[in-house]
């Protein structure tokens, strides 16, 4: 029985599907059948009525009334077929296209407005997609897992971690998350894990390498990786081969894999480069292959030029990472020791193994691996514990500090699109009023309101779709501009922002939402009409328009929303502009003018130890002899350069606070550093030429260091310990100077002589104080260095003013883009206000004519229009100020030298918007004052 019922139900479904297909493709024939059937029904009813004694005309009329109207009956029958909506949609699309052609001016304004709003959203989303959402261009990226570790209270002791290279993040609670591991932990995981099919290691810091071919050296972005790196990611070679674990061993000639883009730029895509020798940092290396196009590594935004095996670092960069005390540069200490954590680890899960299973197994391996390096007295909250995270999107912690600004900009452009939608809604309201008679006629002949609303919404979505198509073109241009702005911080950002399915889906969804958002209310409003007056006369009848002072209509409410949203955006832009100005004029603690900066790394040319120190000192002397140079010095880090170092300290007599990591910022500097930088001394002496590597170790500290660790007491002659063993004497105190960035106050800072650093073999940055514009000295410095050694060149050459300017790039992006979008929002609001006022004036032409006929002056008419406008603007400003005060608290962390509720900014923005509103209503008010009473009384 049940089987028979199921079979019958299935048959009915098949029959229904056949009927719908027949109706869909044979619509004309089916409509003729329906028309004949209805005509037969009416004729039969007519005959019945005649038999009852009615005349033929009366009988037919009664039969039609009984049927409810032929056209209505046809529509009801079509609705029961279930496929009529497809035909209706086609009709709506064709009619919408005709309306867009008929009103080209309206269409152009609407499409341009939407293109700006949707294009801006698509451009920002394209960058967010490329940086945060796209998976790595590797084989099955969802199987990749990245490893990290966390401690509840900052860094573990130096017995466990003496040096860490790579990325880490410390929360306000003190919890620290780091992505770097020592080589011995990597080995333990490779040997003992059962969850991964492959595990790869990547040096935590990239390397600026000197690559020479054909006698021409040039800088390239290099990355050291384990031999299993390419196999783990599933990346293949387009030429040659990818190196493997047999290439990653001590003593082997460095093998090189070129990035596809670098291969094209540097070698012109020549396949013959495979197998040839090139020089990297002066050492020979063999090009083994070229990676696939599109593969950039595991860090979105960075495109690696050359990949090298981990063990090649001993030959090419023996001092990276810097060896701890007692270890010799170039020895395999970094692979044998336990206290340098410098590798990022990524694994590929075996089939059927989950990330949770891998996490549980790796936690045990990690804790057992580091157990021998932990001491019984180590605080439990400083012991690291391993964690895992999905690795398909790469190193999620490396986003150049732009993630939050990008999401903030996404919110800004979202508000711009909302304002654009409100603008289009106002235009549709005006057009709906103009089409009132058309809609009334449709309703009168039997069209259902829902059907008309659907047609009007289809027109709106078509407008939005056209605007989205134009917006995509704008977004292609906008993303390039955005990437240029993002790269203005001195670090080139390489992202694949080409539209993909996600971006296209986002744009299409945005167009659909926008079309419904700005089309629904006008469609409902346009179809809610009183048929009798609408069919008798147009909306221009006397009394059809009422002043906004009397009642705020939907158009007025939309204008209020536009003004309030524009105020929120402009207040945010004003706060960012004031922050940028405050940072540009912030006190740095040193003289930023006429100061040239550049880096030199002579280790790439084979210099090391005393020979390296002699080279740097000779370079300093030669630069000082150049015309226009007042003083020269060198340091490990530049001030306000975005980098720097932190040194753990032991300070006799100082009682550390709970959870305090006793330490200070450290910058190794040379003689004349403070004089060159313009940092005055408060106590003691400068670092002298006599403070050599053999002399007693000394340091200079800043005033913040004295306040923090000595309560302001004279520290001269006091001794402190750097790290675990290096005892130094404080010989001088200098004024505070900002170190890491402009926003942060000057930290407690120590300045040891760079010649006394036991692990000197590294690059130095030179500071040159000049009498005039330092840019005129750049070519002289390059020529001087070429004369000393052609293999050594200056890099990152710029003035201190330019460096500070680059450090503000994120703030500048926010200030510039929010200002642009705020101005665009104000423009859209003014257009919307103008449209509403102009439409209101045209609707009230007869009323205005009557007022003029009764004696109203032009000034009184203008005043009436302006007053009504300012009612809307005042309400918008009031709501906007309240919203801005709440919203500005969300950006408080981005501000500097200004509060989120800054009254000056709010007042200035209100004044600007009031001026814009006044300008927008000048033309409608003037037009109202010119109304001729005789013409107005005849106005329809």
């Amino acid at each position: 029985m049940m089987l028979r019922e199921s079979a019958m139900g299935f048959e009915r479904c098949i029959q229904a599907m056949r009927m719908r297909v027949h109706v869909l493709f044979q619509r004309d024939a089916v409509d003729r059948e329906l028309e004949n059937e209805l005509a037969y029904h009416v004729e039969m009813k007519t005959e019945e009525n005649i038999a009852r004694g009615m005349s033929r005309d009366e009988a037919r009329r009664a039969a039609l009334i009984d049927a409810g109207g032929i056209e209505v009956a046809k529509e009801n029958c079509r609705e029961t077929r279930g496929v009529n909506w497809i035909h209706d949609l086609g009709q709506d699309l064709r009619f919408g296209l005709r309306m867009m052609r008929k009103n080209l001016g309206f269409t152009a304004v609407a499409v341009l407005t939407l293109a700006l709003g949707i294009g801006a959203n698509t451009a920002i989303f394209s960058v967010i997609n490329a940086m945060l959402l796209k998976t790595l261009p590797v084989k099955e990226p969802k199987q990749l897992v990245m490893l990290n570790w966390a401690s509840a209270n900052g860094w573990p002791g130096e017995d466990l971690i003496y040096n860490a290279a790579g990325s880490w993040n410390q929360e306000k609670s003190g919890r620290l998350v780091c992505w770097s591991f020592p080589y011995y932990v990597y080995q333990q995981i490779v040997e003992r894990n059962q969850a991964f099919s492959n595990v790869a290691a990547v040096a935590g810091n990239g390397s600026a390498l000197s690559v020479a071919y054909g006698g021409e050296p040039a800088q390239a972005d290099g990355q050291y990786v384990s031999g299993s790196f390419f196999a783990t990611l599933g990346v293949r070679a387009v030429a040659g081969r990818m190196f493997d674990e047999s290439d990653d061993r001590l003593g082997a000639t460095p093998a090189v894999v070129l990035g596809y883009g670098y291969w094209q730029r540097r070698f012109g895509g020549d396949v013959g480069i495979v197998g040839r020798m090139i020089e990297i940092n002066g050492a020979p290396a063999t090009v083994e292959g070229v990676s696939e196009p599109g593969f950039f590594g595991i860090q979105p935004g960075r495109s690696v030029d050359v990949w090298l095996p981990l063990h090649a670092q001993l030959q090419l960069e023996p001092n990276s990472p810097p060896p701890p005390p007692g270890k010799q540069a170039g020895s395999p200490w970094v692979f044998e020791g336990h206290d340098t954590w410098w590798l990022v680890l990524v694994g590929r899960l075996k089939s059927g193994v989950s990330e949770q299973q891998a996490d549980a197994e790796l936690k045990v391996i990690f804790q057992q691996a580091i157990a021998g390096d932990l001491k019984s007295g180590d605080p439990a909250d400083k012991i690291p514990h391993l964690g895992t995270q999905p690795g398909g999107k790469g190193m999620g912690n490396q986003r150049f500090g732009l993630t939050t600004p990008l999401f903030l900009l996404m919110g800004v452009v979202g508000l711009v699109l909302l304002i654009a939608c409100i603008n289009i809604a106002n235009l549709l309201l005006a057009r709906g009023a103009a089409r009132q008679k058309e809609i009334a006629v449709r309703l009168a002949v039997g069209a259902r309101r829902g059907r008309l609303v659907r047609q009007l919404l289809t027109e709106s979505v078509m407008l939005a779709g056209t605007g989205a198509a134009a917006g995509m073109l704008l977004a292609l241009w906008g993303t390039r501009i955005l990437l240029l702005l993002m790269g203005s911080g001195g670090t080139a950002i390489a992202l694949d922002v080409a539209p993909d399915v996600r971006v296209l889906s986002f744009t299409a969804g945005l167009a659909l939402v926008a079309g419904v958002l700005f089309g629904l209310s006008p469609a409902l409003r346009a179809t809610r009409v009183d048929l009798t007056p609408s069919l008798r006369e147009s909306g221009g009848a006397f009394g059809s328009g009422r002043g906004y002072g009397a009642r705020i209509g939907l158009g007025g409410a939309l204008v209020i929303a536009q003004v309030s949203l524009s105020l929120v955006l402009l207040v945010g832009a004003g706060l960012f502009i004031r922050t940028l100005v405050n940072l540009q004029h912030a006190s740095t603690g040193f003289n930023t003018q006429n100061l040239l900066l550049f880096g030199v790394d002579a280790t790439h040319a084979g210099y090391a130890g005393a020979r390296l120190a002699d080279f740097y000192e000779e370079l300093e002397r030669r630069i000082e002899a150049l015309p226009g140079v007042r003083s020269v010095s060198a340091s490990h880090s530049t001030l306000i350069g975005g980098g720097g170092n932190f040194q753990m300290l032991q300070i006799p007599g100082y009682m550390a606070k709970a959870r305090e990591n006793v330490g200070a910022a450290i910058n190794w500097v040379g003689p004349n550093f403070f004089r060159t930088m313009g940092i005055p001394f408060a106590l003691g002496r400068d670092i002298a030429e006599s403070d050599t590597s053999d002399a007693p170790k000394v340091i200079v500290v800043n005033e913040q260091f004295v306040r923090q660790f000595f309560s302001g007491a004279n520290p001269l002659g006091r001794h402190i310990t750097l790290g675990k063993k290096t005892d130094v004497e404080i010989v001088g105190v200098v004024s505070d100077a900002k170190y890491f960035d402009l926003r942060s106050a000057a930290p407690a800072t120590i300045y040891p002589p760079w010649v006394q650093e036991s692990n000197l073999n590294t690059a130095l940055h030179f500071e040159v104080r000049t009498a005039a514009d330092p840019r005129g000295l750049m070519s002289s410095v390059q020529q001087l260095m070429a004369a000393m050694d052609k293999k050594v060149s200056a890099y990152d050459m710029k003035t201190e003013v330019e460096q500070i300017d680059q450090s503000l790039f994120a703030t500048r992006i926010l200030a510039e883009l929010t200002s642009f979008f705020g101005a665009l929002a104000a423009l859209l609001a003014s257009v919307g206000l103008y449209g509403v006022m102009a439409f209101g004036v045209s609707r009230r032409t007869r009323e205005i004519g009557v007022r003029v006929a009764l004696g109203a002056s032009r000034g009184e008419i203008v005043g009436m229009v302006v007053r009504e406008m300012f009612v809307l603007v005042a309400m918008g400003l009031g709501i906007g100020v309240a919203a801005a005060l709440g919203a500005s608290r969300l950006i408080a962390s981005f501000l500097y030298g200004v509060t989120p509720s800054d009254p000056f900014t709010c007042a200035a923005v209100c004044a600007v918007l009031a001026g814009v509103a006044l300008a927008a209503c000048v033309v409608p008010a003037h037009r109202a004052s010119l109304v001729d009473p005789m013409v107005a009384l005849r106005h329809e």
Side-chain angles (χ1 to χ4, degrees), residues 236 332 343 462 528 576 616 740 784 824 842 876 926:
R236 297 179 179 178
L343 298 174
M462 288 179 67
R528 191 170 60 244
F576 284 128
Y616 287 148
F740 300 109
L784 184 152
L824 178 60
S842 67
H926 178 67

Side-chain angles (χ1 to χ4, degrees), residues 113 139 334 663 875 894 899:
T113 302
K139 177 184 176 182
V334 73
M875 294 179 69
F894 293 92
T899 62

